[in-house]
């Protein structure tokens, strides 16, 4: 059955396959935040200093962001199922190592390997969702389920981290991944048919572009490192400046290599496509705004109101429920009215929620007063997360879905690092040198300012989203696909001579491409 041209799903058992893909996305999302509430116990148990403790979180983000382009290319060359399984196995092994770690270095290394697993798993999962379901209702529903898992996982991570840390200690936030990731990897064998994804890959003669892979991975890793380390060490610290400059030089070299390569890691013409270029900016801004708000809410609950880890996690349940509802509504509305208007509407709703939360934050505000804003924010956040990756890759040819997903995901990671650095500076601007009740009041004021600045960023994201193409709107209830994007058609025509047909070709997922 063809994943691309078939009338329905490319999976033999689409329901269980979609559940597995959503479960994998849930694992990725949970790992963003599950360690936050365990950090104090981790620092005390393993002897981290105040300055080095942040690398329990940062090592994951740096490796994840740095290897995404490489992961996306690997998906296109070696097949999404292989990378899906490999990513999950890396998650399981590194999580076990993290739980067993006896010192800071071992734990940071384990978190970096988790990030590498995510860089392989995320584009593989997104590619399977993007290409495994027919355009229209089936694909919109798949993205709704996938988006619900991803958006809810960001909140669930805090709740799960609080429960596990309080009940079993900090190693439990790592051990929990071992059975989950292992089970998902084993289930991938019967549920994801390698033959169904063969049509996504080019001929086995395709080159890996080793020079492009090395410069892109090293350059992105150094830039993300500088963005993560800057707020802690200071933007003028030699390591931060050196990392930023070296990363910029490597990325410039990468662009030069890609422009001259016959088979580049990231075909630059992809970025000239309307949907992918718009999607890269939207994912960057989304994570710089929506993606950072949970950090500030966590500080508000714990520092201003004194919540413990468990109660902080419980405080996010309203937002988590709203994210789930928003994700499901987004799929249905996109089927009826199109992706672009639904995406813009979701951002406007999220903007209203962010403003409401921002103006409500106060040192004396009750949790009940925050509930309306959290609910509205969650609706927009869940709907936007569900739609933005599909909108970004909708105009990309099937065999390039992995690298397109990697490009959008890289923008997501860098956007989160940039947004957090900027907004933390805004939040902390008036707290220096204060003690006692004055710190709580100044912290609340700073958090309010940061969230309102994020709201301005959300408004900008909605304006950028106007750049998505406006495909033909299907009739309500129809599963007919939107009009094909010109860029995808051009890519397919360009590659037709080089790539064998899915029906005539052997299972190229089991063949090995040559290395440049």
């Amino acid at each position: 059955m063809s994943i691309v041209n078939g009338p329905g799903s490319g999976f033999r058992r689409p329901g269980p396959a979609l559940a597995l893909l959503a479960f994998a996305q849930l694992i990725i999302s949970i790992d963003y935040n599950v360690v936050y509430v365990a950090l104090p116990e981790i620092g005390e148990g393993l002897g981290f200093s105040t300055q080095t403790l942040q690398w329990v979180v940062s090592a994951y983000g740096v490796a994840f962001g740095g290897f995404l382009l490489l992961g996306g290319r690997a998906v296109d060359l070696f097949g999404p199922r292989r990378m899906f399984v490999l990513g999950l196995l890396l998650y399981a092994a590194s999580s076990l190592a993290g739980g067993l770690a006896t010192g800071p270095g071992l734990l940071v290394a384990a978190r970096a390997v988790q990030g590498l697993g995510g860089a392989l798993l995320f584009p593989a999962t997104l590619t399977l969702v993007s290409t495994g379901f027919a355009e229209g209702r089936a694909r919109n529903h798949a993205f709704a389920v996938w988006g619900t898992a991803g958006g809810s996982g960001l909140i669930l991570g805090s709740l799960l981290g609080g429960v596990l840390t309080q009940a079993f200690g900090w190693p439990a936030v790592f051990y929990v991944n071992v059975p989950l990731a292992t089970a998902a990897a084993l289930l991938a064998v019967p549920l994801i048919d390698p033959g169904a994804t063969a049509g996504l890959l080019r001929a086995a003669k395709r080159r890996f572009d080793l020079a492009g892979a090395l410069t892109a991975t090293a350059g992105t890793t150094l830039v993300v490192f500088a963005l993560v380390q800057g707020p802690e060490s200071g933007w003028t610290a030699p390591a931060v400046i050196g990392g930023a400059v070296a990363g910029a030089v490597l990325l410039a070299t990468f662009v030069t290599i890609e422009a001259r390569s016959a088979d580049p890691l990231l075909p630059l013409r992809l970025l000239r496509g309307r949907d992918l270029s718009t999607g890269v900016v939207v994912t960057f801004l989304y994570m710089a705004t929506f993606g950072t708000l949970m950090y500030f809410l966590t500080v508000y609950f714990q520092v201003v109101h004194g919540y413990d880890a468990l109660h902080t996690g419980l405080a996010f349940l309203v937002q988590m429920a709203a994210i789930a509802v928003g994700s499901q509504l987004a799929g249905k509305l996109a089927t009826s009215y199109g992706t672009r208007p639904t995406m813009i509407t979701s951002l406007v709703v999220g903007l209203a929620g962010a403003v409401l939360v921002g103006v409500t934050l106060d040192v004396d505000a009750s949790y009940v007063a925050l509930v309306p804003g959290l609910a509205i924010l969650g609706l927009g956040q869940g709907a936007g997360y569900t739609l933005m990756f599909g909108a970004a890759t909708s105009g990309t040819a099937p065999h390039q879905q992995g690298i397109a997903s990697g490009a959008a995901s890289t923008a997501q990671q860098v956007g989160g690092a940039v947004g957090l650095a900027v907004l933390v500076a805004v939040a902390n601007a008036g707290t220096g040198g204060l003690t006692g009740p004055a710190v709580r009041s100044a912290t609340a004021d700073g958090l309010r300012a940061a969230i309102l600045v994020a709201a301005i960023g959300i408004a900008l994201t909605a304006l950028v989203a106007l750049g998505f193409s406006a495909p033909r709107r299907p009739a309500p209830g129809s599963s007919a696909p939107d009009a094909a994007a010109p860029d995808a058609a051009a890519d397919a025509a360009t590659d037709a001579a080089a790539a064998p047909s899915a029906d005539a070709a052997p299972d190229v997922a089991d063949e090995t491409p040559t290395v440049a």
Side-chain angles (χ1 to χ4, degrees):
M1 182 183 295
S2 172
I3 235 175
V4 178
N5 300 319
S9 169
F11 301 111
R12 292 175 179 174
R13 288 176 283 178
L18 177 57
L20 175 62
L21 296 176
F23 182 60
Q25 179 61 15
L26 184 68
I27 293 174
I28 296 172
S29 297
I30 285 176
D31 260 21
Y32 275 113
N33 298 317
V34 71
V35 301
Y36 272 115
V37 296
L39 285 177
E41 286 197 17
I42 291 173
E44 182 179 350
L46 295 184
F48 278 91
S49 68
T50 302
Q51 184 173 359
T52 58
L53 184 59
Q54 66 156 335
W55 278 101
V56 177
V57 176
S58 299
Y60 180 81
V62 168
F64 200 138
F67 284 92
L68 270 168
L69 284 180
L70 187 62
R73 178 65 160 183
V75 167
D76 288 336
L77 290 177
F78 299 104
R81 189 178 82 155
R82 277 183 173 176
M83 295 303 103
F84 183 85
V85 173
L86 178 58
L88 286 166
L89 292 179
L90 284 174
Y91 258 114
S94 59
S95 296
L96 179 61
L100 294 172
T102 56
L106 293 175
L107 183 57
V108 169
R111 285 289 285 169
V113 177
Q114 277 187 327
L116 173 60
L120 298 175
L121 181 59
F122 187 88
T125 304
L126 184 55
T127 297
L128 289 166
V129 175
S130 299
T131 59
F133 299 89
E135 286 188 272
R137 176 183 293 176
R139 187 172 299 173
N140 289 334
H141 172 70
F143 268 115
V145 174
W146 176 86
T148 300
S152 299
L154 295 174
I155 308 298
L156 184 60
S158 293
L159 175 60
L160 185 62
V163 172
L164 291 175
T165 301
Q166 187 159 315
F168 305 107
W170 68 263
V173 302
F174 296 100
Y175 288 145
V176 69
N177 274 333
V178 178
L180 298 180
T182 302
L186 293 174
L187 288 171
V189 177
L191 293 179
I192 302 176
D193 178 13
T197 62
L200 298 178
L201 308 176
R202 283 186 178 182
K205 295 179 182 179
R206 196 170 185 182
R207 296 160 66 88
F208 192 75
D209 184 16
L210 182 60
L214 292 175
T215 52
T217 300
T220 305
T221 300
L222 286 170
V223 169
V224 175
F225 164 81
L227 292 171
V228 168
Q229 189 67 20
E232 181 68 25
S233 299
W235 294 107
T236 58
V240 174
I241 294 177
V245 171
V249 170
L250 285 169
L251 289 177
T253 304
F254 166 70
V255 172
T256 301
I257 292 171
E258 299 307 279
R260 298 177 179 178
S261 175
D263 195 7
L265 174 72
L266 174 61
L268 298 181
R269 59 189 169 86
L270 284 182
L271 296 178
R272 294 195 294 268
R274 177 175 177 177
D275 288 322
L276 184 57
S277 60
T278 301
V280 164
V281 179
V282 166
T283 54
F284 177 95
L285 291 173
Y286 178 96
M287 286 305 295
T289 54
F290 283 112
T292 62
L293 293 185
M294 201 187 78
Y295 171 84
F296 298 106
L297 289 171
T298 299
V299 173
Y300 177 74
F301 292 138
Q302 293 189 339
V303 175
V304 177
H305 285 298
Y307 289 9
D308 60 19
L310 179 59
H311 285 87
T312 299
L314 292 173
F316 285 112
L317 286 178
V318 169
Q319 191 175 357
M320 184 171 66
I323 286 173
V325 173
S327 298
Q328 294 300 311
L329 286 176
K332 296 176 181 178
L333 293 174
T335 300
S336 298
Y337 301 105
T339 298
R340 186 176 74 168
T342 308
M343 180 76 198
I344 294 170
T345 301
S346 72
L347 292 170
V348 172
V349 171
L351 169 62
V355 171
L356 186 55
V357 169
V359 298
T360 306
L361 282 188
D362 187 78
V363 69
D364 296 320
S366 68
Y367 176 76
V368 174
L370 284 175
V371 167
L374 292 175
I376 297 171
L377 175 65
L379 286 173
Q381 182 177 1
Y385 189 91
T386 295
L387 298 172
M388 65 180 181
F389 290 104
T393 59
S394 64
T396 304
H399 69 270
Q400 292 176 323
Q401 284 284 327
I403 191 59
S405 301
S409 305
T410 300
Q412 175 193 16
Q413 294 298 314
V414 176
V418 172
L420 189 59
V422 171
L423 294 176
V424 163
V426 172
N428 293 339
T431 59
L434 298 178
T435 59
V439 173
R440 293 179 61 242
S441 179
T443 298
D445 292 341
L447 295 173
R448 183 188 312 112
I451 291 176
L452 292 177
V453 170
I456 296 173
I458 294 172
L460 177 60
T461 310
L463 293 176
V464 173
L466 291 170
F468 284 121
S469 60
R472 172 177 57 83
R473 189 181 80 182
S478 170
S479 61
D482 294 336
D487 297 301
D491 286 340
T494 300
D495 298 321
S501 69
D503 296 330
D507 185 2
V508 295
D510 293 328
E511 301 180 27
T512 304
T514 58
V515 177

